[in-house]
Amino acid sequence: MIGSGPVREWLARLTGARAGIIRLFAVLGLVAIYPAATASSNATFEGVASCAGSTCHGRAEGNGAVVRQDEIATWQEPSSASGAHSRAYAVLAGRRGQQIASSLGLGSATQAPECLGCHSTFVPSSQRGARFQLSDGVGCESCHGAAEGWLATHYARPATHASNVADGLTPLENPQVRANVCLDCHYGSTKTGQFVTHSMMAAGHPRVSFELDLFSALQQHHNVDADYTRRKRRPDAVRFWAVGQAEAVKRATSLFAQPKFAMEGVFPQYYFFDCHSCHREIQDSSQRRLTFEENPARPIPFGNAPFNDENIIMLSAVAGALVPGQADSFRSASRDFHAALGGRGNPRSAAQELSARAGALSNALSQRAYIDADAFKVIGIISDTAIRSRFTDYSGSVQAVMAIDTLLNGLVTNGRITAGAAAGIRSNINKAYSAVEEPNAYRPADFRTALASATTAIRRLQ
């Protein structure tokens, strides 16, 4: 995340080595479909073209004097994850997008609000400036906010980052703000076109997954240099990872608690549940094969579909190390929520309580100070959780390897681990990615072995 010297070289190698996660994101739909946020005010959205001047963010190559100035080129990168936002609208016109829309009776996917809410900067016509185009996909203002108030002044003195934020710029350096911008589409929201129903998934929409710090690294188009640090303070991988997990739990449970998301026809809204507890091979034979293993953290009756608790697993595992004063109350709320889903309580009341606990954790995680020892501690806890023999949860495994990946990267950017030492660990991280690359070919034993090897090597570097 630092834009010069050995770390830049490390990140270049890291991008080339991340074949496993890029293939994984293709399975999850995250390479081809990187969604957007929608408007939250009445300000005008000026469009990508308003940012693309050659003296602004539209240079072919950035010089980094103040900002890189090649941000549009990074956003448009045709073959990498960094260009996925710009490809989001075009995906709708592809075979898969049209098949999904046709199956759901939505008409053209490129015109359906149910699709445009996340595959474009989808705002009312009254808020579209002269250069705004839906076909830009997920444009600059999806994340940075409507530019009407700050576009003409944000680059010139006496403007400051604080004054730009006051004029409507979204403060993405705040992990809670960034997480909620991303979660609007990387999990869902109450806004138009920002909730992936089980029907959409049945029609072919990819499974949705989210990890704030790693996704941020894949989309980064700025240098964390002295100027950035002075204006916005240096980002910390553990802070962003942990806050992202807490905000994901808060978002999932807050949506689940709302009656409008309760049912889909005569069935519960299965989007909230663990896909792989049901979508596994059915065998009619004398040799019984369990479709899932019992998990003590999920006190639900055997055979019930469990809530997709990939982020709850991660947050429960590390809460004691990062915010010990709130760990027990969060874990208790988590158990109560699962128990309520099994018939021992009111599920929506329990969801509201768990959402509140996750929100309190997010506040504490955002405000606390972090040191390098925290990253090592969190890596150890996640590893110990993920490599236990009973840990066969696919979604949780995906979260675990993304966490180890992003936290190792953070240790490199902070200078705590050398790029060379980390490069030697990456082969095992890539093996772990390979084990979760395809849900139907998930290999839990291989995953545990690879992740254990990677984290053992990281621990030796403390």
Side-chain angles (χ1 to χ4, degrees), residues 13-350:
R13 290 198 297 271
L14 182 65
T15 300
R18 268 189 176 144
I21 190 171
I22 297 302
R23 289 196 301 270
L24 170 63
F25 282 5
V27 171
L28 299 179
L30 300 177
V31 168
I33 307 174
Y34 246 109
T38 56
S40 58
S41 70
N42 294 319
T44 298
F45 285 68
E46 305 291 356
V48 171
S50 65
C51 305
S54 61
T55 59
C56 300
H57 299 290
R59 294 171 63 102
E61 295 183 4
N63 61 19
V66 179
V67 296
R68 291 186 56 84
Q69 293 189 283
D70 62 354
E71 291 82 3
I72 299 296
T74 303
W75 172 79
Q76 291 177 325
E77 180 63 39
S79 59
S80 76
S82 67
H85 281 147
S86 67
R87 299 192 295 269
Y89 180 87
V91 166
L92 298 179
R95 181 179 179 183
R96 187 182 199 175
Q98 291 298 328
Q99 285 179 336
I100 294 171
S102 176
S103 297
L104 298 172
L106 300 178
S108 172
T110 57
Q111 298 179 39
E114 293 86 348
C115 305
L116 293 173
C118 281
H119 287 264
S120 71
T121 305
F122 188 55
V123 297
S125 298
S126 61
Q127 290 181 252
R128 300 176 188 177
R131 308 179 79 182
F132 178 93
Q133 298 184 73
L134 277 177
S135 58
D136 283 336
V138 181
C140 315
E141 294 161 289
S142 288
C143 300
H144 294 285
E148 177 186 19
W150 49 265
L151 181 64
T153 59
H154 75 287
Y155 55 86
R157 294 177 179 173
T160 64
H161 180 61
S163 68
N164 291 332
V165 169
D167 288 336
L169 181 72
T170 303
L172 295 175
E173 77 282 358
N174 181 320
Q176 291 177 300
V177 172
R178 185 185 300 188
N180 279 285
V181 168
C182 298
L183 282 166
D184 277 355
C185 283
H186 283 280
Y187 188 85
S189 83
T190 59
K191 302 168 190 172
T192 300
Q194 291 190 337
F195 187 79
V196 180
T197 63
H198 186 253
S199 292
M200 291 180 179
M201 298 175 75
H205 194 287
R207 189 181 73 87
V208 178
S209 187
F210 174 73
E211 197 280 280
L212 180 62
D213 192 65
L214 184 55
F215 284 25
S216 296
L218 292 172
Q219 286 295 310
Q220 182 171 307
H221 51 258
H222 61 274
N223 295 341
V224 181
D225 52 17
D227 173 65
Y228 182 99
T229 301
R230 176 180 57 79
R231 291 183 296 114
K232 302 178 182 179
R233 87 173 179 177
R234 183 177 299 279
D236 183 272
V238 179
R239 185 194 311 277
F240 273 76
W241 175 82
V243 170
Q245 296 296 318
E247 289 296 332
V249 174
K250 179 182 175 182
R251 177 66 63 92
T253 49
S254 64
L255 288 175
F256 182 81
Q258 298 191 35
K260 67 177 291 186
F261 296 110
M263 304 293 289
E264 190 168 28
V266 299
F267 295 103
Q269 177 49 262
Y270 285 126
Y271 171 75
F272 292 107
F273 293 86
D274 183 351
C275 305
H276 305 96
S277 62
C278 295
H279 289 281
R280 294 192 179 186
E281 183 181 0
I282 297 175
Q283 291 187 340
D284 190 10
S285 67
S286 59
Q287 182 66 36
R288 185 179 78 155
R289 182 179 178 183
L290 297 178
T291 59
F292 64 91
E293 293 187 17
E294 295 182 77
N295 186 331
R298 294 172 173 167
I300 61 175
F302 183 82
N304 279 30
F307 192 86
N308 180 12
D309 61 350
E310 56 188 287
N311 304 110
I312 297 174
I313 291 171
M314 294 293 102
L315 194 55
S316 294
V318 302
L322 299 179
V323 190
Q326 297 185 28
D328 287 343
S329 60
F330 177 78
R331 291 171 184 150
S332 176
S334 173
R335 287 192 297 271
D336 290 345
F337 174 59
H338 286 298
L341 290 174
R344 299 189 296 277
N346 183 312
R348 286 189 162 70
S349 296

